[in-house]
Amino acid sequence: MIIETKRLILRPFKMDDLSSLHSIFSDPETMAFYPAPFSEEQTKSWIKRNLERYQVDGFGLWGVLLKENNQLIGDCGLVTQTIADRTYVEIGYHINKNEWSKGYATEAAKSWMEYGFHTLGLNKLISIIDPKNHQSIRVAEKIGLKKEQDLFIFNKIHSIYSDDWSSINGHQNKKIMDTIL
């Protein structure tokens, strides 16, 4: 399965993506809200962890590729998170800094929200964001997430419920669903 948007192809990771993904995850600016940029081994583990998520959860973070040249520019997808003994599904995204401010994270995240709510039947999606990560917060707000609560002081949870998503997007839902292959 793949998901196509107007400008992007979203597909499961392959181990062949290691070099391209590592060039993104090893960048200090891109990984500013992580403890440190990733080593090649950490990037490899990231891919392996997502391959396992596909098997266990039926979803995970997928590669985000530009349609025009098939270049991997980041990841986006759904990840199961446990917070205070409750399980949530988080929508996450990382985009190569050279591609920031072009709407790619928003475009990919909207498709994953549609998939989560309409295909998986989820009732709620969250995003855990460092309060200093203004770009990520802006993406979350563009796709309809609202600040819900502080989490461990360092991060904030943003969320959206299925009913809110449907009322925001209304007639757009069928169009987005038609692009999921």
Side-chain angles (χ1 to χ4, degrees):
M1 182 179 98
I2 63 169
I3 298 173
E4 287 192 39
T5 69
K6 182 178 177 182
R7 303 176 296 165
L8 304 172
I9 297 170
L10 312 174
R11 60 141 173 89
F13 277 118
K14 305 178 286 190
M15 288 310 297
D16 292 349
D17 294 322
L18 178 60
S19 177
S20 296
L21 189 61
H22 182 62
S23 70
I24 298 166
F25 284 179
S26 63
D27 176 68
E29 188 176 1
T30 301
M31 300 302 283
F33 297 99
Y34 276 73
F38 282 12
S39 67
E40 187 169 324
E41 191 57 40
Q42 288 171 308
T43 305
K44 188 176 189 179
S45 292
W46 181 271
I47 293 173
K48 285 181 181 178
R49 194 164 49 251
N50 280 290
L51 295 174
E52 291 169 8
R53 286 176 175 143
Y54 305 157
Q55 297 301 312
V56 173
D57 298 328
F59 51 82
L61 294 168
W62 283 14
V64 175
L65 293 85
L66 294 175
K67 267 188 181 178
E68 66 186 39
N69 59 15
N70 218 30
Q71 177 188 354
L72 180 77
I73 62 164
D75 69 6
C76 186
L78 304 176
V79 180
T80 302
Q81 298 284 5
T82 302
I83 304 165
D85 296 327
R86 291 191 62 196
T87 301
Y88 299 92
V89 176
E90 178 184 16
I91 187 160
Y93 37 85
H94 300 93
I95 299 293
N96 182 317
K97 72 177 182 186
N98 297 327
E99 304 298 338
W100 287 354
S101 299
K102 297 179 182 176
Y104 295 135
T106 302
E107 190 172 325
K110 279 184 179 179
S111 288
W112 273 108
M113 287 180 69
E114 180 70 24
Y115 185 81
F117 288 140
H118 293 279
T119 302
L120 298 178
L122 299 173
N123 183 46
K124 180 179 184 178
L125 288 170
I126 68 165
S127 193
I128 303 168
I129 305 170
D130 185 302
K132 295 179 215 145
N133 190 345
H134 301 292
Q135 289 177 306
S136 189
I137 291 169
R138 189 172 70 230
V139 170
E141 291 171 346
K142 283 182 181 179
I143 62 174
L145 277 73
K146 305 286 185 225
K147 181 181 167 201
E148 182 175 292
Q149 61 181 302
D150 291 336
L151 171 69
F152 309 126
I153 302 171
F154 301 108
N155 293 300
K156 296 196 183 298
I157 295 178
H158 292 72
S159 67
I160 188 168
Y161 286 91
S162 176
D163 291 344
D164 294 334
W165 167 253
S166 294
S167 67
I168 290 169
N169 291 291
H171 66 281
Q172 296 175 8
N173 290 340
K174 182 174 181 347
K175 184 178 180 186
I176 293 171
M177 285 304 292
D178 288 343
T179 65
I180 297 176
L181 302 177

